Structures are given as C-alpha cells and as structure tokens.
Amino acid sequence: MSKILTQIIYEQDYHLWLETTLKQLQERDLEQLDWDHLIEEIERLGNEQKHKLESYLLQLLKHLLLYQHWSLPECKNHWEVEIDNFRVELRKLTKSKNLYNYLLRVLEEVYIDALRQAKKKSGLNCFPQTCPYSIEQILDVDYLPPFIY
C-alpha cells in the first residue's frame, strides 16, 4: 500500500486504518506499516490514559475533601457514591504499574486543583494545603475520612 493511500485511509476512514495496521502488525509486515501515524496514535493513547487518571484522581480528592469538611447531610450519600465510582475507575487504571507510578508523581499537583475546586464549590477556606490522604487511603474502597465540621 502506498504512503499516499495510507494517508488517505488514515484521514478518511480511521477504522479501516486501524484494521489495516493491526493486520500488518499481526503479519509482521513492518515494511508497509504507517509508522508516523502509528507512533502518533500510541502517544495519544498513553496521554489519554494519563489524562483519565488525573481526572478521576481530581474528582476523588475533591469529593473526599467535601465529604470530610462540608456539613451538608443531604450530600453525604451522593459524595460516598461518587467517591466509590472514582475509586473503581482509578483501580482499573492503576492495574498498570506505569500508571500507578504516574499517579504517585502527580498526586500533589492534582491535589492543588482539587483543593481549588473544593473551595469554589463550598465557599470554605478550611481545607489542608497539602494532601491529607495517603495513597493507601485514596485507593482504599472502604476508607472515608472522618468528619471535621
């Protein structure tokens, strides 16, 4: 398959490009592979996984803070369910050792965003400036922080 045809397929029929690339990989047809787009897609996939992890972690931390510090009894059950949902998604992602290590690297940075969002949502200014939860607590499906309000 020519490079021009490969480019057209990639731009106009992504699913066909994926099928073609998969077949070429399975057949070890390295000469015909669309290396540039394959590299781009693998990079994008890795970045997408990291973005998902950061997003779930942000939401989890924010909900842990709100659960612990904001006395709205009618929201308690909602926050517990959301905390559990985000933990389930994080647990799936962190089965990858690479993504688990990434979580450890970005925890404090993501916490700063969660802190900012918790302050905006609640109007409170009582949240800790650094993450008060250990990685074990963050990922523990049974852990809920004690109420401080």
Side-chain angles (χ1 to χ4, degrees):
M1 186 179 307
S2 74
K3 285 202 178 262
I4 294 171
L5 182 56
T6 301
Q7 180 73 27
I8 292 169
I9 292 172
Y10 181 77
E11 292 174 0
Q12 295 182 3
D13 191 345
Y14 182 70
H15 187 70
L16 177 59
W17 178 86
L18 284 174
E19 288 177 352
T20 302
T21 302
L22 177 60
K23 185 177 180 189
Q24 289 169 335
L25 286 168
Q26 289 170 333
E27 294 174 355
R28 310 292 193 265
D29 184 4
L30 305 181
E31 298 296 320
Q32 298 298 314
L33 270 176
D34 179 1
W35 286 103
D36 293 337
H37 289 127
L38 180 58
I39 290 167
E40 181 181 317
E41 291 300 317
I42 290 172
E43 285 176 343
R44 190 172 58 132
L45 181 61
N47 289 336
E48 182 180 314
Q49 295 299 302
K50 288 177 179 177
H51 176 74
K52 274 185 183 177
L53 182 136
E54 288 182 36
S55 179
Y56 291 134
L57 180 60
L58 172 84
Q59 293 301 320
L60 174 56
L61 292 171
K62 179 174 69 174
H63 281 81
L64 286 170
L65 287 170
L66 293 172
Y67 178 90
Q68 186 172 20
H69 294 276
W70 200 13
S71 65
L72 291 176
E74 66 274 11
C75 293
K76 181 180 175 280
N77 288 339
H78 167 75
W79 287 328
E80 285 181 21
V81 170
E82 290 298 302
I83 287 167
D84 189 58
N85 287 337
F86 296 126
R87 280 185 172 139
V88 166
E89 295 302 326
L90 275 175
R91 187 175 59 240
K92 290 176 189 176
L93 287 170
T94 56
K95 285 181 181 179
S96 159
K97 186 69 170 163
N98 181 287
L99 288 175
Y100 177 81
N101 290 334
Y102 182 74
L103 181 145
L104 296 176
R105 285 195 310 271
V106 300
L107 177 58
E108 286 302 324
E109 177 184 332
V110 173
Y111 179 77
I112 291 167
D113 291 333
L115 174 63
R116 186 185 73 255
Q117 289 184 9
K119 285 179 179 179
K120 282 184 179 181
K121 183 169 185 81
S122 68
L124 298 174
N125 208 16
C126 61
F127 303 110
Q129 293 304 303
T130 59
C131 186
Y133 315 112
S134 69
I135 195 65
E136 293 79 17
Q137 290 171 325
I138 290 168
L139 296 176
D140 181 353
V141 294
D142 295 320
Y143 173 77
L144 287 170
F147 301 119
I148 298 183
Y149 46 84

